Amino acid sequence: MKLKHLAILIALAFGITEARADRLVIKGSDTLGAKLVPQLAEQFKAQHPGTTFDIAAEGSTTGIAAIIDGTAQIGMSSRRAKSSEVGPAAAKGKAMKPTIVAFDGIAVIVNSANPIKGLTKKQVEQIFTGDVTDWSAVGGSGGKISVYTRNTSSGTYSDFKELAMKKRDYASGSQKMAGNEQIAAEVGKNPNGVGYVGMAYTKAGGVKALPVDGAVPSAKSVQAHSYPYWRPTFYYTNGEPSGLAKEFVDFTVGPGGQKIVAQVGFVPIK
């Protein structure tokens, strides 16, 4: 009887180990984690029955931090890790390994009712830094501009600041949103609203993406680098990924994953 009980306990322990081995924890970027990675996960699960995912899309900073503290196997990020993050990671024996999984364009969006047809890079900088506060100053019909940005844990927040604002501070009255979908929703409700989102979020109701210096954010303009606010997006792992994490990274950058990348609205890496 004791041997039987021991066998059951061993079997249960083995089963728990197997279950944990088939669970992949992914944290980080909302740009990747709100749409793209969940769809990649669904397709991956269809090919790997029994796999479960724990996906938390709370900003690139949280994804990088999760690799440093060991709470995720993959950290999603729409920006490169900063030296202030790489140093502490190395001190903890963690090697921050980036893998580019898709390219993206940060689209400037306004309400669909806004008559403005496009902006220059200078005008975008002026709007988001607060130098310009009324639509009439950039060729619009007038009205106080409402600026919506991501929060400070967002990779898109820091990328847009670098790409579009010469690293200047956002306008003091700008409103910080948790994710791309929240920005699109607010701009869609506000005729004087303006914000920025990844290309996968430009189809939201009530908004339109504006050309910048004549370039529309699209797969073609991002690939050609003719759209000014293009960027790579990343998975971060602790060194070379292994096990289930490696399988998912390989799937993402492989033909099947990159097909989903394009379908969702990102730009494939190949």
Side-chain angles (χ1 to χ4, degrees):
M1 185 64 71
K2 287 182 180 179
L3 287 173
K4 184 178 179 182
H5 286 166
L6 181 60
I8 291 170
L9 288 171
I10 291 170
L12 286 171
F14 182 76
I16 290 167
T17 301
E18 285 299 294
R20 286 178 179 166
D22 288 339
R23 178 171 173 263
L24 191 57
V25 180
I26 305 176
K27 296 182 180 181
S29 165
D30 169 82
T31 299
L32 293 173
K35 284 188 177 182
L36 176 58
V37 172
Q39 291 195 34
L40 289 166
E42 286 303 311
Q43 185 60 42
F44 186 85
K45 284 193 290 186
Q47 298 174 13
H48 301 78
T51 303
T52 60
F53 284 83
D54 182 354
I55 301 170
E58 298 170 341
S60 299
T61 300
T62 64
I64 291 170
I67 298 303
I68 296 172
D69 62 27
T71 58
Q73 293 116 300
I74 294 174
M76 304 174 287
S77 184
S78 60
R79 63 167 174 82
R80 290 192 181 275
K82 302 172 184 176
S83 58
S84 59
E85 295 165 324
V86 174
K92 290 188 175 183
K94 303 291 175 69
M96 302 296 291
K97 169 73 165 59
T99 299
I100 296 175
V101 296
F103 291 97
D104 189 22
I106 306 176
V108 176
I109 59 168
V110 296
N111 187 279
S112 296
N114 192 322
I116 200 157
K117 303 295 184 187
L119 294 168
T120 65
K121 287 193 290 185
K122 182 63 177 175
Q123 289 171 331
V124 171
E125 179 189 342
Q126 291 172 324
I127 287 169
F128 282 91
T129 57
D131 289 346
V132 164
T133 59
D134 195 281
W135 284 111
S136 60
V138 290
S141 58
K144 181 175 171 56
I145 299 172
S146 296
V147 175
Y148 297 95
T149 79
R150 293 289 307 281
N151 58 35
T152 55
S153 67
S154 159
T156 307
Y157 175 95
S158 53
D159 272 354
F160 192 77
K161 193 172 182 178
E162 183 167 341
L163 292 168
M165 299 164 58
K166 298 176 182 174
K167 299 185 180 180
R168 295 174 62 195
D169 289 334
Y170 285 93
S172 59
S174 60
Q175 301 174 65
K176 294 180 174 65
M177 302 282 113
N180 290 274
E181 291 173 334
Q182 288 86 344
I183 288 180
E186 291 302 317
V187 173
K189 293 186 292 187
N190 185 346
N192 289 318
V194 63
Y196 53 78
V197 295
M199 289 198 309
Y201 303 88
T202 57
K203 304 302 182 185
V207 305
K208 63 180 180 181
L210 294 179
V212 178
D213 278 354
V216 177
S218 68
K220 185 176 180 180
S221 65
V222 167
Q223 286 171 331
H225 299 175
S226 59
Y227 182 69
Y229 311 140
W230 69 273
R231 57 173 178 175
T233 63
F234 307 89
Y235 287 166
Y236 272 90
T237 53
N238 177 21
E240 290 293 337
S242 60
L244 191 61
K246 174 175 169 49
E247 290 184 48
F248 188 68
V249 171
D250 289 347
F251 168 73
T252 299
V253 300
Q258 290 298 295
K259 183 178 179 181
I260 295 170
V261 163
Q263 289 171 346
V264 172
F266 289 80
V267 181
I269 56 176
K270 299 172 182 176

